[in-house]
């Protein structure tokens, strides 16, 4: 994480701009490779962003005491976009001994929400 995104996040183009135990700020520039056949961003891109940002948020909050795995991802698509820069932010809803629940909001270039989702994470001991 020190150098930014890795693995699938790197393919998506997801950049982590700020990572703290209380939330993450990230960004992504949309591009044609992320479109569905009708020329707008594929909903799976938004689901993936929500999953990744929530997971990073959760594992950072655990502070080395373990790891997390997503057990539920509920993402709503609010507006269609095909290009532009996305701003992403996570907020904790619940952080407990066994599970966490994070809200992830995705805004387009105009600041209006494009998608939002909640991810429930299972905490796994180190």
């Amino acid at each position: 994480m020190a150098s930014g995104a890795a693995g699938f996040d790197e393919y998506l183009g997801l950049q982590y701009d700020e990572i703290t135990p209380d939330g993450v700020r990230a960004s992504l520039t949309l591009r044609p490779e992320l479109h569905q056949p009708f020329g707008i961003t594929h909903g799976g891109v938004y689901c993936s962003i929500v999953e990744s940002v929530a997971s990073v948020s959760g594992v950072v909050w655990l502070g080395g005491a373990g790891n997390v795995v997503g057990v539920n991802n509920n993402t709503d698509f609010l507006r269609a976009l095909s290009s532009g820069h996305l701003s992403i932010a996570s907020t904790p809803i619940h952080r407990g001994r066994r599970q966490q629940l994070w809200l992830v909001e995705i805004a387009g270039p105009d600041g209006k929400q494009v998608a939002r989702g909640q991810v429930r994470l299972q905490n796994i001991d180190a």
Side-chain angles (χ1 to χ4, degrees), residues 42-125:
H42 193 287
V45 171
Y46 297 123
C47 288
S48 297
I49 291 169
V50 168
E51 181 83 22
S52 289
V53 169
S55 295
V56 169
S57 300
V59 80
V60 169
W61 177 74
L62 279 177
N67 212 334
V68 298
V69 63
V71 295
N72 185 281
N73 179 334
N74 182 355
T75 300
D76 294 304
F77 315 122
L78 306 172
R79 295 177 51 229
L81 285 181
S82 58
S83 63
H85 186 76
L86 302 178
S87 299
I88 303 128
S90 67
T91 305
I93 296 171
H94 169 76
R95 295 181 288 189
R97 191 180 67 213
R98 293 196 173 115
Q99 291 192 340
Q100 302 178 48
L101 183 63
W102 287 84
L103 170 66
V104 178
E105 297 174 294
I106 304 171
D110 59 2
K112 293 182 182 177
Q113 276 196 0
V114 174
R116 64 178 289 175
Q118 289 186 176
V119 173
R120 180 169 302 282
L121 302 168
Q122 182 72 41
N123 297 337
I124 300 172
D125 294 333

